[in-house]
Amino acid sequence: MPKGQRGIRGGLKPHLDDPYLTRKSPKEPTVCPRCGLVYRRRRWEYNPDFEAGTQVGKQKCPACRKIEDHYVMGIVLIRGGFFVQRREEILNMMRNEEKKELLHNPLDRIMTIEEHDDWTQVETTSENLAVHLGRMLYHSYGGSIEYKFSDDQKLARVFWSRNKKEAK
């Protein structure tokens, strides 16, 4: 990798802000009424054992607000003969990966899965999850992968494809 370049974006670019992450933090603890995430210790976390008391605030988490507004930050486009043959397996693997990511960053979620005859589009609430899903597909099944990032907004597009005869 050339000097001065890091990560998949391919260079040191100014940080693009997520408009749904505000500088003003909600009161602690706050619970998202839609998904049940808890805001504590200055972050949103998945905590199924949290017992809400009477002094708990209620506010939608950034992921639920993005889903409600359909504010897509990551797109994974999956196509090819191999995918058509293994559609259910691949989509289940992606959903399971989203569940695992819930523990690390609960704001990274799959928003929609739009299925067509020979391709599928997965929309996510973050760039990171889209890139992660693309890497997972590539490392699991091979094929070809391409990443594209927007210069003026926080959006990642991941294109993965594999034909039937390609080797892993």
Side-chain angles (χ1 to χ4, degrees):
M1 187 179 298
K3 188 175 180 178
Q5 290 192 348
R6 291 187 297 182
I8 203 159
R9 247 189 200 275
L12 300 171
K13 296 188 180 182
H15 175 69
L16 299 170
D17 290 328
D18 182 343
Y20 285 82
L21 297 177
T22 59
R23 291 209 182 270
K24 187 177 180 200
S25 300
K27 258 186 171 177
E28 294 188 26
T30 295
V31 176
C32 177
R34 186 167 182 226
C35 68
L37 290 183
V38 180
Y39 186 82
R40 294 193 308 182
R41 291 177 235 140
R42 300 185 48 112
R43 72 180 307 254
W44 289 96
E45 60 185 34
Y46 175 69
N47 188 347
D49 300 327
F50 180 75
E51 296 198 17
T54 56
Q55 299 298 321
V56 173
K58 294 199 183 291
Q59 177 180 327
K60 287 182 188 165
C61 69
C64 287
R65 290 177 36 228
K66 287 177 192 178
I67 292 168
E68 193 175 85
D69 295 347
H70 197 80
Y71 189 84
V72 178
M73 294 182 77
I75 298 170
V76 182
L77 186 66
I78 310 164
R79 60 178 58 215
F82 181 83
F83 170 68
V84 172
Q85 289 179 334
R86 296 182 179 214
R87 179 185 306 266
E88 279 307 309
E89 175 188 334
I90 291 172
L91 293 178
N92 283 337
M93 190 168 80
M94 293 180 89
R95 288 183 191 105
N96 289 337
E97 200 62 30
E98 177 197 25
K99 287 176 189 169
K100 281 192 237 174
E101 284 296 305
L102 184 65
L103 300 174
H104 300 293
N105 190 351
L107 300 179
D108 289 355
R109 305 219 191 114
I110 292 176
M111 293 174 65
T112 62
I113 298 176
E114 185 180 313
E115 296 189 54
H116 299 275
D117 290 338
D118 59 345
W119 62 279
T120 294
Q121 178 173 294
V122 178
E123 297 176 334
T124 66
T125 59
S126 72
E127 284 184 313
N128 293 341
L129 183 58
V131 169
H132 178 77
L133 293 175
R135 284 181 175 161
M136 181 207 58
L137 284 169
Y138 182 73
H139 290 295
S140 298
Y141 299 109
S144 64
I145 191 156
E146 182 180 354
Y147 302 93
K148 292 189 178 186
F149 296 92
S150 173
D151 288 332
D152 53 352
Q153 62 181 347
K154 202 166 171 131
L155 175 66
R157 290 180 186 357
V158 179
F159 302 93
W160 180 85
S161 66
R162 179 176 169 192
N163 295 320
K164 294 178 194 176
K165 295 180 182 176
E166 283 185 52
K168 184 176 173 182

